[in-house]
Amino acid sequence: MAEYDYDVIFIGAGPGGYVGAIRAAQLGLKTACVESRETLGGTCLNVGCIPSKALLHGSEKYEEAANGTLARYGVKLGKVDLDLSALQADKADAVKGLTGGIEYLFKKNKVDWLKGTGSFKDAHTVTVAGKDYTAKEVVIATGSSVTPLPGVDVDNDKGVIVDSTGALALAKVPAHLVVIGGGVIGLELGSVWRRLGAKVTVVEFLDQLLPGMDGDIRKEAAKIFKKQGMELKLGTKVTGASVKGKKATLTLEPAAGGASETLEADCVLVAIGRRPNVAGLNIEGIGLALNARGQIDTGHDFKTAIDGVRAIGDVIPGPMLAHKAEDEGIAVAEYIATGIGIVNHAVIPGVVYTMPEFAGVGLTEEAAKEQGEIKVGKFPMMANSRAKTNHEPDGFVKVIADAKTDKVLGVWCIASVAGTMIAQAAQAMEFGATSEDIAYTCHAHPTHSEAVKEAAMAVTGKPIHI
Ligand code: FAD
Ligand code: NAD
């Protein structure tokens, strides 16, 4: 009889766990994945990336029809009405299709889904629904959930103070939505409800939106969202909230201290970050400690301090992104099966899927300057033929290169398709490209991506179209 039930058990079937489990099975390992939700795919497929993108896409179509954008192209419409339940049904359909797809992939690859909450009995034994399962290696891929804000209690059922999961499922468009946190979730979901007709106010503790992104991008983001009609209260903190019936009253204060004010809202979205999921895992029982930020520290091979236990995705340090979790899932499976795995944590793109999109990879200009001398090339989307033709004037591309070697250190874009454009920058950086390499790569015309080439040309002061 085999020493263990499985070669590897993943706890959590989000982009980290489900992708890791499939790759482990492809590599011939006997694999199981524990998941407590009714459907596979984790935060990303159930209440994150996918449903938010469905609402972003649908709300964009509604806004184009409702605000006269389509009329410019000769598409004449009568009165435009919103059927929110149809939009929510489209979202549910996307989630159902994709989560069901993972179930199919588990069957195809012979990954066993252990349904229930997993808890360590010892480092090689996981208890699920009262039954013990053993494995040579256990990978913690339990993801993250919303960081609560003391004094602002979320109740998604009531729908007045909600988190991202509640904001994805509102039954009606709120007259006034106040978003606490001007990060990725606040701006994406704030954009959805603004497009559908809500007045949106974003309260952000810091002086700029989108922490972690390049300084120029953050400044431009504030201008763009204000132009779109969002009210921004930067450098402001929320100190409390009360709910009466279907209305909330928030108390705000300048972040630096000062006189407080109140703000009434029909709905409040709390989006101040996410924290790792470790409760109930009994990691203390196997002697595994958390770092000061509540995360599980690992080595490059995702090994934790406990022999036979590894961790990946949102539960470990690094950006909380689905593609980072997926790449770590593949790498951890390859480490377990072959001893070698690859994730380049210096080249992980980040995208905010608003309109326009905000995207970046590598170092910000501020961080690059701290490391040494740099050259920067910038090209405005207004001078890009395709963006101009499509009436998408907002944004720019910025390429940051080492002054001596010309090696590309970071690329930042604001454009309608910045999320797609950033892929070529990531690939170039993965291959150690110089700005000259990008400048001399033939880009199809007319495409938004030509702006990446022009920004690379601008590094040496020779863009053509400005
Ligand atoms: P998760 O996806 O959180 O999956 C962990 C799974 O583990 C969950 O299903 C959970 O039920 C399960 N679990 C936890 N504990 C246990 C246990 N003890 N036993 C059994 N199961 C357990 N990222 C992007 O890259 N692009 C986006 O567009 C994007 N949009 C987002 C939008 C929203 C609204 C949110 C909230 C997040 C978004 N993210 C996005 C972030 C992305 O969802 C996460 O980075 C990603 O899901 C992390 O993957 P993971 O596998 O580490 O964890
Ligand atoms: P975030 O870290 O992106 O933004 C949180 C914001 O809240 C920050 O700007 C922070 O300064 C602010 N804040 C914190 N405390 C505050 C307070 N008391 N009052 C006012 N503002 C406060 O976090 P998020 O938007 O909640 O997203 C969580 C995670 O989910 C992110 O790490 C992100 O990577 C991931 N995510 C990614 C995508 C994407 O890739 N498109 C989309 C959604 C979520």
Side-chain angles (χ1 to χ4, degrees), residues 11-17 34-37 41-44 47-49 52-53 116-118 141-144 164 168 185 188-189 274 277 281 312-315 320-323 325 353:
I11 308 180
V34 187
E35 175 55 59
S36 53
R37 275 180 210 275
T43 303
C44 177
V47 289
C49 325
S52 60
K53 268 75 240 175
T117 301
T142 46
S144 64
S164 55
L168 287 167
I185 291 181
E188 287 188 358
L189 295 181
R274 294 176 62 82
N277 288 332
L281 267 179
I312 56 168
D314 280 10
V315 82
M320 289 182 162
L321 295 172
H323 41 282
Y353 297 90

Side-chain angles (χ1 to χ4, degrees), residues 6-10 24 29-33 135-139 336:
Y6 291 98
D7 294 314
V8 55
I9 293 178
F10 286 81
L29 300 179
K30 189 167 184 228
T31 307
C33 187
K136 185 155 187 267
E137 299 259 4
V138 179
V139 180
I336 292 169

Side-chain angles (χ1 to χ4, degrees), residues 181-233:
V184 195
I185 291 181
L187 295 171
E188 287 188 358
L189 295 181
S191 293
V192 164
W193 294 106
R194 183 200 57 72
R195 289 171 192 163
L196 298 180
K199 170 181 159 56
V200 174
T201 305
V202 177
V203 183
E204 165 59 47
F205 185 81
L206 301 173
D207 289 339
Q208 286 294 353
L209 303 169
L210 295 174
M213 289 205 135
D214 182 86
D216 274 348
I217 295 270
R218 298 177 70 187
K219 267 188 235 145
E220 196 62 20
K223 281 192 212 152
I224 289 171
F225 289 115
K226 264 191 220 159
K227 193 166 83 180
Q228 292 180 356
M230 275 192 195
E231 187 169 337
L232 305 182
K233 285 184 173 289

